[in-house]
Amino acid sequence: MANTQGPQGHHDPAGSTQMFRAFVDEGPQAAASPQASSGPRIGLIVGVIAAAVIVAAVAWLALK
C-alpha cells in the first residue's frame, strides 16, 4: 500500500495548531464589535420616510 500523505519530514504550516488557536481566539472579538451598533439605523428610517413622502406627493399631483 502506498503512502499518500507525502514525505515524513513535511510540515504543513496551514495545519498548525497555533495558527488555529489564534484564529479561534480572534473570532469572538471580531464578532463583538458589530453588535455595538445594533440599534435602529437612523439613515434607513429617514430614507423610508422620504420615499413615502415622495410617493404621496406624486400620487397627490396625479390625482389633482
Side-chain angles (χ1 to χ4, degrees):
M1 187 189 279
N3 184 3
T4 59
Q5 294 181 356
Q8 292 293 332
H10 180 66
H11 176 70
D12 182 15
S16 172
T17 303
Q18 291 176 346
M19 292 177 71
F20 176 73
R21 286 182 181 165
F23 170 75
V24 170
D25 289 341
E26 291 176 5
Q29 295 172 355
S33 50
Q35 293 176 355
S37 64
S38 63
R41 295 197 167 89
I42 198 74
L44 180 63
I45 294 171
V46 170
V48 169
I49 292 172
V53 168
I54 292 171
V55 168
V58 169
W60 180 72
L61 288 175
L63 296 175
K64 184 175 172 184

